[in-house]
Amino acid sequence: MGAILSIAKTTIGEAIRRRVLLVILLVGVLFLVIAPGLSVLSLRQNYTVLTSFTLGVIQLTSAVIAIVLTVYLLPNEVERRTIYTILSKPVYRWHFLLGKYLGAVGALGMMMLLMSTVLVLVFRIMQQQASMDDVLQLATAPIFFFVQMSLLAAVAMFFSTFVSPIVNFFLSGGVYLVGTLFSPVFQDLSNNQTLPAAVKGAATVIHSIVPNFAQYNIQGGIINQGPELRSIELYYVQIVVYALFYIAAFLIAGMMIFDRKEV
Amino acid sequence: MNRSLMLAGLAVCIAGGAIVNRMNYPLWQENFSPRKDSDLRGLSGDQLLIALAGFREMVAGILWVRADTFFDEGNYDAILPIIRLVTMLDPKQIDVYATGMWHIAYNFTDEQSRSDRRYIPSALALGAEGSKNNDYTYELFFETGWLWYHKIDDDYSNAAKWWEEANKRKDMQTARKNILAMAYLRDGNMSGAIEHYEELWNTARDNFAKNPNDFQARQNVDTLEVNLDNLLVRLAQRGNFAIENGTYDQYDYDTRPPYDVGFTAQVTVEDSKILRVEGTWNVQPVGTRVRIVLRDKDKPNLRPAALKWDQGTSVDLEPEKDMTFMQDGLFVKNQAFFRRIDMARDPTMYPFNSDNYVIEFYYNPRSAPPHIQDRFGFNGEGMTDKNYLNTEVRDGQRVIYAQLEISRDELLRQGEWATRTPVKRTIGFIPTGARNTEEVINVPGLRNDVQEGQ
């Protein structure tokens, strides 16, 4: 456990020193700061524009950070040959992989925390009539974006055990797109009673394998302040449990590949 | 590392995730899924990519900011596709639906500020779609009802239908609930209006009894009392109760005997697509607007002095380009009306592609102000005209309706009409020259004993 935590800590330190990540983060924060200017342009829907834009910025920036951060973690260690130093010590490969993943998630969490703080500050300044409940509700979205990005980081970590960073960037991005767009479609298909059994079965299998990123996009209810959400606590617990299952699955698969990989 | 154990763990994780996902799906669908009515066919490639990646609300917000800029610039044409895109991307944006409906129905006008009513079916379809996608709130049901009530102003049963739905929603504002009674009245449903007011009044009294120090509760009771009182007095004086119990002919109600409005009109085609409309209307009090419609004679989706407004649920932002439909109000002053209607400057709104057209004059007391209705009644029982009283174009209502036919050549002053001036007249047209020059408006009453100008 000590080895895992040490690797994670080192990874966080490395991540926050990487300029490319800091630039992405800076761009994200800048967009958050200028967001009120954008919402002022739309007097008719000030609240909606402010929240949709700021939450969108956080999600988009976090997704880019999650992928860029994770795709280089293993290949850089191999390329710089620092992995030999680590693996020559009493550290299992799975320790190394898990430590790297936890470090990536930790760094991602810190960056998202910074953006969320800016988000809340901007919201408080611009929406002074908003209650504490409104602020808390707004802050819920970044929490589940973090869960979503942790899952995305696990996907990228899995691919990084056998593909190059560039390929991994597009693969992980593609899985994110497919998981956001097609998960509901495949779920609909697998629930459709009129379809042939083979099609339904295929849809169920695909839906079970491709992680469902769509369910973390909970911002719609916050932005539009629509109807009362049903069993929302249960929903939140379930999507966290789902993420834990899939993160574990991707990490185990990654460990199995990395274990046999020649470095 | 035990690979078998890891494989087993992998299988357990995937199976566990899949089970949780299936359990979660109904909640996701109910709470967060954009409704099935939202489609993304109108998006460009980059917009589509971002939208599909889960940033629908963000793209919708940015587009709406752009639409706002266009509003400020008065660039209304550019707003239309943006509104559609925003509603596709984020079908929960109620304000965009509401603004979009208003914009489509009201803001496309010609040079003389007549709105392009060919867009109204699209505005109604947008309202229907928005209501379906946001059926938890009264707002879009109310807005759609308002379009029927205020903009169409001729088919109040639909306004009542939408407002009944709005009133079923928990968030319906108390003050807005009253308007359903007005829709019932204009729809000729007097008992419905009374029942609705009574129901609201009872609820308001209960609420006030529970909150005796609440000023708003008190005010609501008072408002409803006054509304109900006014309604009952009006219905009694107009003879509506007497009509119901068969004693209308026995007493001197305000609506008896029917008043002859003496409608006549003349349309002169002064120049290509420019009409000079004048006519008589023997009603002195200010507040009458006679509707004039110029439309294709034979096209689908047309009905006397109106379109078939409800044309389904498809939101088509391009109105029927081939159709010509002009509607205006002729304001009556000193028992006459006069208006110059110039359609020459708006060729897209008035394409004049058909060979034959009709000019319609239409007056329905249901759309009239209360002081006129006091004399004419809700159903026109206090109104008559020796030539143009019509009981067929609107079921169960006595309206004034006249139709003149005119050809494309006449309207465009071409062919044999290039050098001749087409003039169309109703039966017994009385020239209005002297009346139109008067600067003083005489305002006598409409009671039987003061029928001036008869």
Side-chain angles (χ1 to χ4, degrees):
Chain A
M1 194 62 191
I4 295 171
L5 288 178
S6 296
I7 294 167
K9 206 172 147 186
T10 314
T11 306
I12 293 174
E14 281 172 13
I16 56 177
R17 282 196 297 274
R18 281 181 63 189
R19 282 183 198 154
V20 63
L21 294 178
L22 293 179
V23 168
I24 297 168
L25 179 66
L26 186 68
V27 170
V29 171
L30 270 177
F31 270 112
L32 289 175
V33 172
I34 63 163
L38 196 67
S39 65
V40 163
L41 290 176
S42 177
L43 294 175
R44 289 173 184 84
Q45 285 210 299
N46 195 310
Y47 175 88
T48 308
V49 171
L50 179 69
T51 50
S52 65
F53 186 74
T54 48
L55 289 176
V57 165
I58 288 186
Q59 195 181 16
L60 193 59
T61 312
S62 306
V64 175
I65 290 175
I67 296 177
V68 172
L69 173 64
T70 321
V71 294
Y72 285 104
L73 283 181
L74 288 186
N76 272 2
E77 295 286 349
V78 176
E79 200 177 303
R80 284 190 250 138
R81 299 174 193 278
T82 45
I83 193 168
Y84 302 122
T85 321
I86 298 165
L87 294 183
S88 63
K89 295 192 167 70
V91 173
Y92 292 109
R93 286 191 177 201
W94 69 268
H95 284 171
F96 181 74
L97 194 104
L98 187 59
K100 279 285 172 191
Y101 173 74
L102 290 178
V105 168
L108 181 66
M110 286 165 66
M111 292 176 187
M112 287 187 73
L113 185 65
L114 174 68
M115 286 192 285
S116 303
T117 308
V118 175
L119 166 77
V120 169
L121 283 175
V122 166
F123 185 76
R124 285 303 285 173
I125 292 166
M126 296 308 297
Q127 300 280 322
Q128 292 186 359
Q129 75 283 9
S131 65
M132 202 57 206
D133 281 349
D134 292 332
V135 178
L136 288 175
Q137 196 190 17
L138 183 73
T140 315
I143 293 171
F144 289 97
F145 290 162
F146 173 67
V147 180
Q148 185 185 42
M149 297 314 154
S150 300
L151 178 54
L152 180 59
V155 172
M157 183 60 89
F158 165 70
F159 285 130
S160 74
T161 57
F162 60 94
V163 296
S164 68
I166 298 294
V167 176
N168 189 354
F169 182 87
F170 289 106
L171 264 179
S172 302
V175 169
Y176 181 71
L177 272 181
V178 172
T180 304
L181 171 65
F182 291 109
S183 280
V185 176
F186 286 127
Q187 181 83 55
D188 278 340
L189 289 177
S190 63
N191 288 341
N192 192 328
Q193 301 299 325
T194 58
L195 286 176
V199 177
K200 278 180 65 177
T204 309
V205 169
I206 295 169
H207 180 56
S208 303
I209 292 171
V210 178
N212 182 355
F213 288 103
Q215 57 191 347
Y216 301 95
N217 293 332
I218 59 161
Q219 62 270 47
I222 297 167
I223 293 164
N224 295 312
Q225 297 189 313
E228 201 171 303
L229 303 173
R230 189 168 70 85
S231 306
I232 196 63
E233 291 83 6
L234 174 68
Y235 179 82
Y236 288 158
V237 170
Q238 284 180 346
I239 57 175
V240 172
V241 171
Y242 173 85
L244 291 176
F245 271 126
Y246 264 81
I247 288 168
F250 278 108
L251 290 181
I252 290 171
M255 286 167 191
M256 289 172 72
I257 295 169
F258 188 52
D259 199 41
R260 293 197 166 179
K261 187 182 168 94
E262 280 193 24
V263 290
Chain B
M1 192 168 63
N2 188 331
R3 291 187 72 80
S4 305
L5 199 63
M6 291 189 89
L7 271 175
L10 184 63
V12 167
C13 286
I14 291 176
I19 291 166
V20 175
N21 197 20
R22 287 194 83 80
M23 284 164 59
N24 222 16
Y25 182 70
L27 282 177
W28 176 81
Q29 202 174 32
E30 185 173 330
N31 290 333
F32 299 109
S33 165
R35 296 295 170 97
K36 293 196 188 304
D37 282 352
S38 101
D39 71 45
L40 304 168
R41 281 171 295 186
L43 296 182
S44 67
D46 52 341
Q47 289 167 339
L48 186 67
L49 186 68
I50 295 173
L52 296 186
F55 305 103
R56 299 168 75 110
E57 293 87 356
M58 181 186 175
V59 177
I62 293 169
L63 284 172
W64 191 234
V65 170
R66 191 80 188 106
D68 217 72
T69 316
F70 288 139
F71 265 121
D72 295 338
E73 291 168 356
N75 187 358
Y76 292 150
D77 287 323
I79 297 163
L80 212 54
I82 294 184
I83 284 173
R84 193 67 194 118
L85 285 181
V86 175
T87 55
M88 285 171 179
L89 282 168
D90 189 359
K92 301 290 172 67
Q93 290 216 23
I94 293 163
D95 288 350
V96 178
Y97 272 115
T99 311
M101 287 167 64
W102 157 75
H103 178 55
I104 292 171
Y106 285 81
N107 286 350
F108 290 92
T109 60
D110 65 10
E111 293 292 321
Q112 289 183 319
S113 300
R114 280 180 293 269
S115 66
D116 190 342
R117 286 167 193 269
R118 297 173 303 172
Y119 279 101
I120 289 179
S122 293
L124 290 171
L126 193 64
E129 181 190 297
S131 311
K132 195 173 164 192
N133 286 338
N134 298 281
D135 57 3
Y136 65 92
T137 176
Y138 81 96
E139 289 196 47
L140 291 169
F141 293 96
F142 185 85
E143 295 294 338
T144 312
W146 181 253
L147 213 57
W148 281 103
Y149 185 84
H150 180 259
K151 185 66 185 175
I152 295 169
D153 198 18
D154 189 29
D155 185 342
Y156 302 103
S157 63
N158 273 301
K161 187 183 84 181
W162 282 95
W163 283 341
E164 280 169 3
E165 286 300 315
N167 276 9
K168 287 177 191 168
R169 268 65 196 176
K170 278 190 284 186
D171 61 339
M172 178 68 171
Q173 290 179 11
T174 308
R176 288 188 167 187
K177 288 180 179 172
N178 300 359
I179 202 166
L180 176 58
M182 297 302 296
Y184 282 142
L185 278 181
R186 291 191 171 198
D187 189 35
N189 180 1
M190 316 299 166
S191 57
I194 295 170
E195 280 169 26
H196 183 62
Y197 270 143
E198 282 179 343
E199 193 182 312
L200 292 178
W201 186 45
N202 288 332
T203 310
R205 282 195 307 173
D206 290 347
N207 190 31
F208 180 52
K210 285 178 201 158
N211 308 288
N213 296 321
D214 185 345
F215 175 72
Q216 208 171 0
R218 169 66 184 267
Q219 200 177 33
N220 198 26
V221 174
D222 290 347
T223 304
L224 284 161
E225 254 174 28
V226 169
N227 285 350
L228 187 56
D229 190 48
N230 276 344
L231 175 63
L232 293 173
V233 169
R234 283 208 147 110
L235 289 178
Q237 290 184 342
R238 293 175 189 177
N240 287 91
F241 295 127
I243 292 171
E244 276 178 25
N245 62 31
T247 58
Y248 183 62
D249 297 334
Q250 297 170 26
Y251 301 100
D252 184 22
Y253 294 103
D254 284 359
T255 50
R256 293 192 62 229
Y259 184 92
D260 187 349
V261 297
F263 170 76
T264 69
Q266 172 180 281
V267 179
T268 308
V269 185
E270 285 188 338
D271 205 339
S272 175
K273 304 180 189 175
I274 299 176
L275 308 180
R276 181 179 189 275
V277 183
E278 58 187 307
T280 58
W281 183 261
N282 285 341
V283 179
Q284 275 285 18
V286 178
T288 297
R289 279 186 189 275
V290 178
R291 178 180 296 183
I292 180 172
V293 169
L294 185 149
R295 63 171 172 85
D296 300 288
K297 187 182 177 193
D298 301 307
K299 271 217 184 287
N301 294 326
L302 289 164
R303 57 195 279 257
L307 282 172
K308 281 180 185 158
W309 305 113
D310 196 351
Q311 294 177 16
T313 53
S314 167
V315 182
D316 185 359
L317 299 181
E318 289 290 322
E320 203 176 328
K321 295 272 186 196
D322 274 351
M323 179 187 282
T324 299
F325 188 91
M326 182 281 299
Q327 181 180 319
D328 206 343
L330 303 168
F331 180 69
V332 177
K333 185 180 79 172
N334 294 332
Q335 299 177 309
F337 53 84
F338 170 84
R339 185 146 173 80
R340 192 167 182 273
I341 296 173
D342 183 353
M343 294 172 284
R345 288 177 287 174
D346 302 277
T348 54
M349 195 162 151
Y350 308 115
F352 291 109
N353 286 339
S354 300
D355 290 332
N356 296 300
Y357 297 85
V358 288
I359 299 168
E360 296 168 303
F361 295 90
Y362 172 74
Y363 180 79
N364 188 341
R366 286 189 179 179
S367 314
H371 68 282
I372 303 276
Q373 285 179 337
D374 282 341
R375 182 65 184 88
F376 290 171
F378 283 116
N379 294 326
E381 56 270 20
M383 173 186 79
T384 189
D385 185 272
K386 63 182 174 222
N387 297 312
Y388 294 107
L389 181 73
N390 190 305
T391 54
E392 290 167 1
V393 293
R394 295 293 183 271
D395 195 27
Q397 299 165 54
R398 289 159 60 93
V399 301
I400 304 301
Y401 179 75
Q403 192 184 82
L404 303 171
E405 294 199 8
I406 191 164
S407 70
R408 184 168 184 268
D409 284 351
E410 287 173 302
L411 278 166
L412 302 188
R413 296 290 299 272
Q414 60 187 23
E416 63 173 302
W417 298 100
T419 53
R420 294 164 59 200
T421 302
V423 179
K424 302 286 173 182
R425 290 195 184 108
T426 61
I427 301 164
F429 170 68
I430 303 164
T432 60
R435 300 186 194 186
N436 277 323
T437 57
E438 286 179 33
E439 290 183 0
V440 177
I441 301 174
N442 300 313
V443 192
L446 269 174
R447 302 298 294 261
N448 305 332
D449 53 347
V450 285
Q451 288 191 18
E452 291 181 23
Q454 280 280 63

